[in-house]
Amino acid sequence: MTVAAGVGYVLIALGPALSLFASVIAKKPFLILTLLSSTLFWLISLIILAGAWRAFLPVKSTELWPYSILILTSVGFQEGIRIGFWRLFKKMEDMLNAFADRVSKPRLFLTDKMLLALAGGLGHGLAHAVFFCLSLLTPAFGPATFYVDKCPSIPFFLISAIIALGFVIIHTFSMVIAFNGYTEGKRKDQIFVPFAHLIAALITLINLVPGGCNIGLPLLCIMAGTTLYYSWQLVWRRLTEHQTTRSSD
Amino acid sequence: MDDRSTDSDPVTAGESSILDTLGEDVIRIVSPVSLCMLLVVLLVSSVSSTNDLSSSISSLFLSSTTTPTSFSSLNLLLLGSDSTWEEIKSALVTALSFVVVVTLLTFLLVLLFYFRCTNFLRIYMGISSLFVLSFLGGFISLLLISHFKIPIDPFTFAILLFNLSVVGVFAVFMPKFPISMNQGYLVAIGVLTAYWFTMLPEWTTWALLIAMSLYDLAAVLLPIGPLRLLVELAMSRNEEIPALVYEARPVDPQPGDRVRVWRERTDVRIEATENSTNSATVQTVQETRLAVSEEITAPLIEAFPQTGDRHLGTEEEEDGIGLGSSGAIKLGLGDFIFYSVLVGRAAMYDYMTVYACYLAIMAGLGVTLLLLAVYRKALPALPVSIMLGVVFYLLTRVLLEVFVVQCSSNLLMF
């Protein structure tokens, strides 16, 4: 429905991501590079998944189980990749520290590491929003709108924009949680991230049921809020701990 | 007393971390490339006549919810209706003839440079940029004016066009012009040429891209390659080749910025003949001319330099990551143009391919810069990015699109 609606949908899906980008990431060039590379990473994982599932698509049935297998395998694969991403991150951290020593500047601070995790997570979220929502928004810039059969009350574009918003938040902050969890070795954090991702993805399965999106969307937003809250608590705790250990030197 | 005790907020404590300045040069070259690509995508999607994107997606939505024949219709859209043997043959012939003409012209350029006809080259480049800005710019402005129905009379249009073109030529070639105008006009020239190239038929564009990247690889790395000869000539004479090159210098010079001092670390024989510490070495670039293919109306010959050569100026020895904080990376305009052509052509199919190709090109650019930091010699910028771009385009079109549309049309996301 015209350019205004199209731009509106884009901003719904990407608004928080854009403000995060403008306020935090655009200031440090290295974070922009981290964001681009993590977006590429997510895209490659998505292509591998699409390649693996290509032979079975399109799923013609309206049963629940093929889609749930799809979701389970995809989420499992992506969470597995996250560990690989963390290993790359550790290597990069070591390289950066070595570089910092060579130019005699201070090593990476805790906030730097968390900023890197944030940029990585934002890259993943951005990739999700771009490929699952933005690339299908082109008709929204035209003169009409579209409704899916299973959800006749909300336009399709609005649903996908809200789902993309939820997932942007989930991806961004679960990367922060995950990196902190792997660095500190805390089981609780490490388990939380795949769990949250899986639950959020399974919530979208509710959308397959007619009229399910009225329940699915709020639940997804609650899940995003939970992830946000958890990561806030984690970062707060980590920073205050760090502060006290530093000032006790 | 440890100065870093309050490192929960290092900025207010006065300590800056390396994260603040690392990668600045790369971003300064990534931004104009991205801007050029964005402008070409906007131009292509607003002015193109056959709007494949929205019509195909809308038809997909309509068919996927009603009949199970969506897969076949999707298949038809994916494979396209133009994959006939004739088109492929003509595309290959066109691309091959293009590469042959470019090779001949580059050798001619090397010859002219060898006989020190630099003034002739400069004047020629000025005239060709004037051509691009006025003719191509005028043509594309007319397209935009007719599409968006902008009210403007011919006289105002002529005056504006003339002014902008002349200022553009000066901005690109006079050394004392403000760098932001120079950069802006170079991006504009890149956008205009890239948009014009996207008007070629599809198979021809892809064949041309692959042929040019192979040519770039050969011309820069082979010992008889014309671009390599040009670079060596320029380095041995300590001269600058007149060329259209984007220099990623900061717009406002910071104090203590010696951006024109470069350290050349390529050939052993070069280092033997000059001081190896802080000698002001040449900013060497390469240049090719591209002849327009005969399929389009006016046989315009334009000169576009293509540099495969990036020099990172640093003030101290730096290996490891190899990103200096005071040097500027230079990228030839030909690279801008071909990247944007690839993305523009991807935009003619769907926005998903645009995003995938954009990421692929950025990854290729990053790999090239990394290789440059490792090998420290002239490197072609096209091959890695274009090959990655083509691969990602094919993968997206064949694999990803089905998957994503299937998931999102059922509102399943992860």
Side-chain angles (χ1 to χ4, degrees):
Chain A
M1 297 191 294
T2 75
V3 178
V7 171
Y9 293 132
V10 170
L11 285 178
I12 290 180
L14 282 184
L18 278 175
S19 47
L20 261 178
F21 184 85
S23 59
V24 174
I25 296 194
K27 301 211 162 80
K28 305 194 187 234
F30 195 76
L31 292 178
I32 305 180
L33 294 174
T34 315
L35 188 129
L36 278 177
S37 23
S38 84
T39 312
L40 182 72
F41 212 74
W42 202 87
L43 171 64
I44 294 178
S45 76
L46 196 65
I47 290 183
I48 296 178
L49 271 175
W53 271 94
R54 183 67 174 89
F56 304 100
L57 291 174
V59 179
K60 298 200 178 85
S61 70
T62 49
E63 298 288 318
L64 216 60
W65 62 268
Y67 295 114
S68 37
I69 298 182
L70 184 78
I71 297 266
L72 281 171
T73 50
S74 314
V75 173
F77 183 69
Q78 285 192 335
E79 289 305 320
I81 294 273
R82 199 190 291 271
I83 303 185
F85 200 57
W86 181 69
R87 297 239 168 81
L88 277 176
F89 174 72
K90 293 295 296 175
K91 270 207 208 112
M92 188 176 66
E93 216 179 287
D94 295 334
M95 276 196 332
L96 283 175
N97 277 333
F99 177 72
D101 288 339
R102 223 192 334 249
V103 295
S104 51
K105 277 214 173 162
R107 295 191 143 206
L108 285 178
F109 301 116
L110 178 65
T111 46
D112 286 338
K113 297 184 198 170
M114 290 208 211
L115 278 175
L116 280 170
L118 185 74
L122 192 63
H124 278 214
L126 208 66
H128 177 276
V130 158
F131 285 99
F132 276 102
C133 172
L134 283 193
S135 47
L136 300 171
L137 266 186
T138 329
F141 286 90
T145 187
F146 183 70
Y147 289 86
V148 188
D149 281 347
K150 305 225 175 67
C151 198
S153 47
I154 317 177
F156 167 76
F157 305 114
L158 187 59
I159 306 177
S160 70
I162 296 182
I163 296 182
L165 172 67
F167 271 105
V168 162
I169 296 180
I170 292 180
H171 278 298
T172 311
F173 294 105
S174 42
M175 190 68 82
V176 176
I177 302 174
F179 277 13
N180 270 314
Y182 290 131
T183 315
E184 285 187 314
K186 283 217 168 116
R187 270 285 163 215
K188 195 170 71 133
D189 299 337
Q190 289 174 11
I191 296 289
F192 178 82
V193 168
F195 216 52
H197 195 186
L198 196 62
I199 293 184
L202 288 174
I203 287 176
T204 59
L205 272 180
I206 302 180
N207 294 329
L208 282 176
V209 177
C213 57
N214 297 313
I215 312 171
L217 281 186
L219 279 181
L220 187 69
C221 295
I222 293 176
M223 201 61 223
T226 315
T227 316
L228 188 58
Y229 179 73
Y230 193 87
S231 114
W232 171 31
Q233 294 292 325
L234 179 87
V235 170
W236 190 258
R237 176 183 57 80
R238 195 90 201 274
L239 281 178
T240 43
E241 271 175 12
H242 198 82
Q243 187 86 319
T244 47
T245 51
R246 267 286 167 186
S247 53
S248 66
D249 281 343
Chain B
M1 171 61 177
D2 194 3
D3 202 19
R4 294 168 6 204
S5 58
T6 54
D7 66 351
S8 63
D9 199 354
V11 175
T12 58
E15 281 280 339
S16 64
S17 105
I18 50 167
L19 226 54
D20 287 338
T21 51
L22 194 62
E24 241 173 358
D25 309 315
V26 181
I27 292 299
R28 265 193 238 124
I29 199 78
V30 159
S31 326
V33 175
S34 313
L35 181 68
C36 187
M37 291 201 252
L38 177 72
L39 287 174
V40 172
V41 167
L42 284 177
L43 266 178
V44 164
S45 47
S46 63
V47 185
S48 82
S49 47
T50 58
N51 207 357
D52 286 323
L53 341 150
S54 43
S55 57
S56 64
I57 292 181
S58 333
S59 64
L60 267 176
F61 287 164
L62 288 171
S63 56
S64 68
T65 52
T66 52
T67 67
T69 57
S70 59
F71 187 71
S72 54
S73 60
L74 184 59
N75 230 344
L76 203 64
L77 285 165
L78 283 177
L79 292 178
S81 49
D82 53 359
S83 52
T84 60
W85 184 233
E86 296 299 316
E87 280 219 23
I88 302 180
K89 267 200 305 196
S90 80
L92 285 176
V93 164
T94 315
L96 217 61
S97 53
F98 198 88
V99 169
V100 163
V101 173
V102 169
T103 321
L104 289 174
L105 287 177
T106 317
F107 273 116
L108 180 66
L109 194 68
V110 174
L111 212 64
L112 283 176
F113 193 66
Y114 185 71
F115 289 123
R116 298 178 192 275
C117 308
T118 343
N119 270 334
F120 172 75
L121 287 175
R122 286 188 74 89
I123 295 176
Y124 187 86
M125 310 261 323
I127 293 180
S128 52
S129 344
L130 188 66
F131 260 19
V132 168
L133 280 174
S134 52
F135 283 119
L136 276 188
F139 174 66
I140 291 174
S141 318
L142 284 173
L143 274 181
L144 284 172
I145 288 175
S146 69
H147 185 91
F148 289 114
K149 304 190 177 31
I150 305 175
I152 187 170
D153 60 292
F155 301 106
T156 317
F157 180 73
I159 292 176
L160 280 177
L161 188 66
F162 178 71
N163 270 335
L164 288 173
S165 324
V166 170
V167 171
V169 172
F170 283 140
V172 163
F173 280 107
M174 287 192 40
K176 294 280 197 285
F177 237 76
I179 189 75
S180 53
M181 287 198 73
N182 179 314
Q183 291 173 341
Y185 267 106
L186 281 173
V187 170
I189 294 179
V191 167
L192 292 174
T193 322
Y195 178 71
W196 186 83
F197 266 112
T198 58
M199 297 202 263
L200 293 172
E202 179 157 12
W203 280 102
T204 316
T205 320
W206 292 112
L208 187 69
L209 281 171
I210 298 182
M212 281 310 292
S213 53
L214 290 174
Y215 162 75
D216 201 19
L217 194 66
V220 174
L221 294 181
L222 287 182
I224 53 161
L227 294 178
R228 184 165 168 158
L229 293 176
L230 203 59
V231 169
E232 286 174 1
L233 263 181
M235 282 198 321
S236 62
R237 287 191 204 164
N238 227 356
E239 258 176 37
E240 195 180 308
I241 313 177
L244 284 173
V245 157
Y246 185 93
E247 194 180 327
R249 261 196 280 141
V251 175
D252 24 67
Q254 290 117 12
D257 217 15
R258 290 183 287 160
V259 288
R260 290 196 197 270
V261 177
W262 306 79
R263 185 173 326 188
E264 177 67 58
R265 246 172 295 179
T266 56
D267 274 357
V268 176
R269 87 183 130 94
I270 301 296
E271 280 183 356
T273 58
E274 55 188 352
N275 300 344
S276 51
T277 54
N278 275 350
S279 51
T281 59
V282 58
Q283 308 158 358
T284 63
V285 294
Q286 295 140 343
E287 167 180 63
T288 57
R289 283 192 223 160
L290 303 178
V292 162
S293 93
E294 304 82 280
E295 282 179 26
I296 318 293
T297 51
L300 222 44
I301 305 234
E302 300 151 312
F304 297 111
Q306 231 177 29
T307 204
D309 184 348
R310 266 118 343 286
H311 284 259
L312 307 167
T314 60
E315 315 229 307
E316 61 263 325
E317 274 303 323
E318 269 187 34
D319 8 14
I321 304 182
L323 294 169
S325 57
S326 66
I329 304 180
K330 292 175 141 206
L331 189 63
L333 207 59
D335 299 326
F336 271 77
I337 291 171
F338 281 113
Y339 293 162
S340 312
V341 169
L342 196 147
V343 173
R345 180 45 75 171
M348 287 183 173
Y349 180 70
D350 189 10
Y351 276 146
M352 208 183 293
T353 43
V354 168
Y355 300 129
C357 290
Y358 170 75
L359 287 172
I361 291 181
M362 285 301 140
L365 192 61
V367 167
T368 313
L369 288 173
L370 219 70
L371 286 177
L372 182 73
V374 167
Y375 284 106
R376 303 233 179 241
K377 53 188 275 238
L379 284 181
L382 278 187
V384 184
S385 293
I386 300 282
M387 290 309 176
L388 274 180
V390 172
V391 164
F392 269 69
Y393 177 81
L394 288 171
L395 284 178
T396 307
R397 219 174 130 150
V398 172
L399 296 179
L400 193 62
E401 190 161 356
V402 185
F403 187 69
V404 170
V405 170
Q406 167 83 106
C407 284
S408 338
S409 53
N410 286 312
L411 297 176
L412 281 178
M413 303 191 193
F414 51 87

